[in-house]
Amino acid sequence: MSNADIAVIGIGVMGSQLALQLEERGSSVALFDEFSPQAAQQLIDKEEGKRFVTAQGLEDMLALLAKPRKILLMIKAGSPVDDYIEKLLPLLDPGDVIIDGGNSHYEDTERRCKRTQEAGVHFVGTGISGGEEGARYGASLMPGGAEEAWPIVKKELTSLSAFAYDETACCHWMGAGGAGHFVKMVHNGIEYGCMQLLGEAFHVAKHILQKDHETIYRAFTSWKDGPMAGFLMEITADILGKKDAETGEPLVEVILDRAGQKGTGRWTCQLALEHGISVPTIEAAVTTRIISSAPQQRRTLHAHLPTLSLPTEGLPSLDMDALQNALYGATFCTYIQGFHILQRASEEHHWQLPFADIARIWTGGCIIRARMLEDFRALYEDTQTPDNLLGSALFRDIWQQTAASWRQVLLHTTAQGVPTPAFSSALAFVDAFRQPVLPTQLIQAQRDYFGAHQYERTDKEGRFHTHWLAGNTLTSDPV
């Protein structure tokens, strides 16, 4: 076979599964793995009859491709991507396309777009969500980069996608430069927040409501068919139903509570701060994973610091229905925080992100797919929806339905010393935005006191500075 439609470089777990799906959906595929050359041949031997070819070197592999050539990099993010770009550029022609399908930082993608443009080669950074299963049977794809490349790669990338609830492909062009990888990064940040909330809900059911494992498993199983329906809810129920083969105990109970992270959640928090957007629930999720990485410290401090709990008599009663209700409200807030980052970034980078389509393609294939995303698509299709999604009529209804349960959860967890940072930060996020006056009134006065940073008044226009030390002039330089 000659003139393969696309090349996949990096035949690891994700690369091999994407290659299989590309072939099954109509593309002939050239396989190449410089560091594990046997991987490509093993896949060909295993999948006999597939339209796969391989080659010993890059030049030979490129010679197998139809023009304009399309190369999908499924390799480790960071310097390996830059290394491959530099290897490929001398061998490519103007109009060829390099696609980075890894979890690259969006600023790296912006830089690579400029670098390849100098050679007339197009660069596409595409977020791919769905894990190994999504790579094999349909993922959610968020491509962005050189606009001229989209008509060239649309067929192949769309063929890799799952289908949304309305049967449309979960693949949509995000915009220029690093737009695609930025959207994928925010997707992962939302993922962190949602996972943390589910972990906390399990913890509350176990340690506050004192439910046995079987009861919790049955409750979570029922929740996956309700308003919390989605992939993470489904896998959480599946996890709770799994028994450890060695002990016969629920497997989750023998897993060390040290959660790893690869960086996209941290990037989301960093960039939210840089863009002036509040994402406290995502930040709480990242921080909790950091704390979880020190199990010995936590066990030592558990013995050192008593709980000093408060009596719970007289508190409103809490049950599993109220916990589900609170989980729904807090999860919806986590998605709001993610979309707020996307809105600000789109404005600052002039990306014109397609928010309704982002919500749509996230309803299938990806890790954060959930029924509530259909509500977000409707919000963005409504031209009257405010920039701050907390101000929408939809969220007002959700708030009225969930606030009491949410507060009940936190009354009990605070009184009994059970940490629920995602639940509490999500509630504080709403409460802060709904306050006409915040404690920052005093903070600005403090800033003016020690730094002459000035302040605005509530009763007149302009900026003002007070000499707070009677009879003295502050030595700080004015702004």
Side-chain angles (χ1 to χ4, degrees):
M1 182 188 73
S2 60
N3 293 332
D5 297 309
I6 188 169
V8 177
I9 294 180
I11 312 302
V13 172
M14 289 290 287
S16 61
Q17 300 306 302
L18 289 170
L20 282 166
Q21 190 182 176
L22 280 165
E23 197 278 339
E24 289 177 2
R25 295 195 179 184
S27 296
S28 51
V29 186
L31 307 174
F32 186 78
D33 197 317
E34 179 180 4
F35 301 104
S36 182
Q38 70 277 11
Q41 191 57 53
Q42 286 171 355
L43 184 61
I44 292 173
D45 294 342
K46 180 182 177 183
E47 302 292 337
E48 188 176 351
K50 299 287 187 184
R51 289 169 298 163
F52 289 147
V53 290
T54 189
Q56 295 301 310
L58 271 181
E59 289 190 60
D60 292 338
M61 185 271 293
L62 292 173
L64 297 171
L65 296 177
K67 295 186 178 182
R69 290 171 288 191
K70 292 161 278 191
I71 303 101
L72 173 59
L73 300 179
M74 293 305 302
I75 59 179
K76 185 178 179 181
S79 59
V81 178
D82 291 313
D83 293 343
Y84 250 104
I85 289 172
E86 294 308 315
K87 291 177 183 177
L88 286 166
L89 283 181
L91 307 174
L92 296 178
D93 297 325
D96 289 342
V97 184
I98 301 172
I99 309 164
D100 174 17
N103 273 332
S104 291
H105 195 287
Y106 88 100
E107 290 180 338
D108 288 337
T109 303
E110 299 254 324
R111 172 176 54 78
R112 290 163 184 156
C113 283
K114 294 175 182 176
R115 170 71 183 98
T116 57
Q117 186 180 29
E118 295 170 358
V121 173
H122 305 313
F123 190 82
V124 172
T126 184
I128 302 176
S129 176
E132 182 180 357
E133 181 181 352
R136 182 66 182 88
Y137 300 109
S140 178
L141 286 88
M142 297 145 262
E147 300 278 357
E148 304 90 335
W150 180 229
I152 301 171
V153 301
K154 183 177 181 179
K155 172 182 172 290
E156 284 79 14
L157 292 186
T158 302
S159 75
L160 291 171
S161 72
F163 293 97
Y165 65 91
D166 62 357
E167 299 303 317
T168 58
C170 291
C171 178
H172 194 88
W173 185 255
M174 295 292 113
H181 274 137
F182 193 98
V183 173
K184 175 55 164 58
M185 176 199 69
V186 172
H187 164 287
N188 286 21
I190 295 171
E191 178 184 306
Y192 271 60
C194 293
M195 292 170 70
Q196 178 67 27
L197 284 165
L198 286 164
E200 291 179 13
F202 171 67
H203 216 56
V204 170
K206 180 180 177 182
H207 296 286
I208 299 294
L209 296 177
Q210 300 289 306
K211 300 296 184 182
D212 62 81
H213 189 87
E214 183 64 26
T215 299
I216 299 172
Y217 165 61
R218 289 199 305 268
F220 276 58
T221 300
S222 69
W223 293 357
K224 70 181 184 179
D225 295 320
M228 281 299 301
F231 177 74
L232 288 172
M233 189 76 251
E234 291 170 11
I235 69 167
T236 300
D238 289 347
I239 289 167
L240 295 181
K242 188 75 170 177
K243 301 288 186 181
D244 177 38
E246 295 183 24
T247 65
E249 296 296 316
L251 180 57
V252 70
E253 299 291 357
V254 298
I255 294 176
L256 181 64
D257 60 339
R258 177 161 50 200
Q261 54 180 318
K262 292 186 176 180
T264 48
R266 184 178 68 252
W267 291 351
T268 304
C269 296
Q270 291 169 337
L271 288 163
L273 290 171
E274 289 178 13
H275 288 84
I277 294 295
S278 174
V279 292
T281 311
I282 299 171
E283 291 171 5
V286 173
T287 298
T288 302
R289 292 198 192 190
I290 293 170
I291 295 172
S292 83
S293 69
Q296 188 54 53
Q297 287 184 37
R298 289 184 285 110
R299 283 148 184 71
T300 299
L301 289 171
H302 174 73
H304 178 66
L305 298 173
T307 302
L308 301 178
S309 58
L310 298 174
T312 57
E313 293 82 3
L315 292 181
S317 62
L318 182 65
D319 57 23
M320 291 298 287
D321 288 339
L323 179 57
Q324 181 192 16
N325 212 22
L327 178 62
Y328 178 68
T331 302
F332 202 93
C333 268
T334 304
Y335 281 93
I336 284 178
Q337 291 169 28
F339 275 104
H340 281 179
I341 304 173
L342 294 178
Q343 289 175 188
R344 180 62 61 84
S346 181
E347 179 182 325
E348 294 190 2
H349 295 282
H350 309 289
W351 282 331
Q352 297 183 321
L353 292 177
F355 303 114
D357 280 306
I358 291 171
R360 177 186 60 78
I361 67 171
W362 283 354
T363 63
C366 71
I367 302 301
I368 64 169
R369 61 184 184 265
R371 180 176 296 169
M372 66 179 66
L373 280 161
E374 297 176 25
D375 292 328
F376 281 90
R377 180 182 183 180
L379 281 173
Y380 281 111
E381 288 178 340
D382 181 356
T383 57
Q384 302 302 311
T385 297
D387 289 340
N388 189 323
L389 298 179
L390 297 177
S392 65
L394 173 62
F395 184 75
R396 182 183 59 216
D397 292 342
I398 292 172
W399 174 246
Q400 291 172 338
Q401 295 164 15
T402 63
S405 298
W406 211 337
R407 296 195 194 283
Q408 287 169 24
V409 169
L410 292 172
L411 282 171
H412 284 267
T413 57
T414 302
Q416 297 181 59
V418 173
T420 48
F423 273 102
S424 58
S425 63
L427 182 61
F429 172 74
V430 181
D431 277 336
F433 267 114
R434 50 174 292 278
Q435 293 299 315
V437 180
L438 290 169
T440 45
Q441 191 175 43
L442 176 58
I443 291 170
Q444 192 58 24
Q446 293 168 333
R447 295 183 73 243
D448 188 58
Y449 189 111
F450 66 69
H453 291 298
Q454 306 176 356
Y455 54 86
E456 297 169 279
R457 294 178 61 102
T458 60
D459 56 357
K460 63 177 80 172
E461 296 293 325
R463 296 191 64 81
F464 301 88
H465 166 60
T466 293
H467 295 288
W468 296 91
L469 298 177
N472 292 299
T473 302
L474 292 177
T475 57
S476 300
D477 294 330
V479 175

